[in-house]
């Protein structure tokens, strides 16, 4: 079951250049920054109530975020929906004909397992399913 929008991912060139907007102008103070080398990104998780904004910065030119920014510029990259059964959801969606980017979830940092649905099946919006690690 999908429970909540967990976060909205936003591709940025430099997290440090974007933080003044979220921290100082918008006054959001619950910010955690972490590197996720296995996905070639650096991430700032900004909590807003029950939902987060995830700023994504490329770690190197071969990062998917670098390629996204090169093609489309900075902006909304994905919407993440949280589930308590990511494997079951992937299986269910796949058998319903939804194209998956990841058939199996991968660990994302210290907090999540994640998998992406292919935009060709989702109105050209990249959707991430995520499950909190316990
Ligand atoms: Zn995400």
């Amino acid at each position: 079951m999908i429970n909540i929008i967990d976060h909205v991912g936003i591709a940025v060139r430099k997290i440090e250049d974007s933080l003044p907007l979220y921290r100082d102008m918008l006054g959001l103070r619950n910010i955690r920054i972490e590197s996720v080398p296995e996905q070639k990104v650096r991430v700032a998780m900004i909590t807003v109530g029950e939902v987060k904004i995830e700023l994504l910065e490329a770690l190197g030119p071969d990062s998917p975020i670098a390629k996204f920014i090169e093609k489309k510029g900075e902006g909304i990259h994905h919407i993440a929906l949280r589930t308590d059964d990511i494997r079951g959801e992937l299986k269910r969606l796949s058998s319903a004909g939804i194209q998956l980017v990841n058939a199996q979830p991968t660990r994302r940092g210290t907090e999540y397992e994640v998998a992406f649905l292919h935009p060709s099946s989702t109105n050209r919006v990249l959707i991430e399913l995520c499950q909190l690690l316990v």
Side-chain angles (χ1 to χ4, degrees), residues 75-86:
I76 291 185
H77 179 262
H78 65 271
I79 296 173
L81 304 175
R82 195 196 303 155
T83 172
D84 44 22
D85 180 16
I86 193 168

Side-chain angles (χ1 to χ4, degrees), residues 82-97:
R82 195 196 303 155
T83 172
D84 44 22
D85 180 16
I86 193 168
R87 285 168 180 79
E89 286 296 332
L90 288 170
K91 214 175 281 175
R92 190 178 61 77
L93 290 165
S94 170
S95 53

Side-chain angles (χ1 to χ4, degrees), residues 7-9 45 54 56 78-80 108 114 116 128:
H7 62 271
V8 175
M45 274 296 189
E54 179 185 57
L56 297 152
H78 65 271
I79 296 173
R108 217 295 323 268
V114 304
F116 288 90
E128 171 188 322

Side-chain angles (χ1 to χ4, degrees), residues 2-8 50-52 79-82 130:
I2 308 268
N3 302 314
I4 187 174
I5 292 179
D6 185 87
H7 62 271
V8 175
E50 294 201 34
V51 180
K52 287 159 271 185
I79 296 173
L81 304 175
R82 195 196 303 155
C130 64

Side-chain angles (χ1 to χ4, degrees), residues 45-65:
M45 274 296 189
I46 305 169
T47 302
V48 190
E50 294 201 34
V51 180
K52 287 159 271 185
I53 293 170
E54 179 185 57
L55 302 181
L56 297 152
E57 173 189 310
L59 285 178
D62 58 340
S63 162
I65 294 302

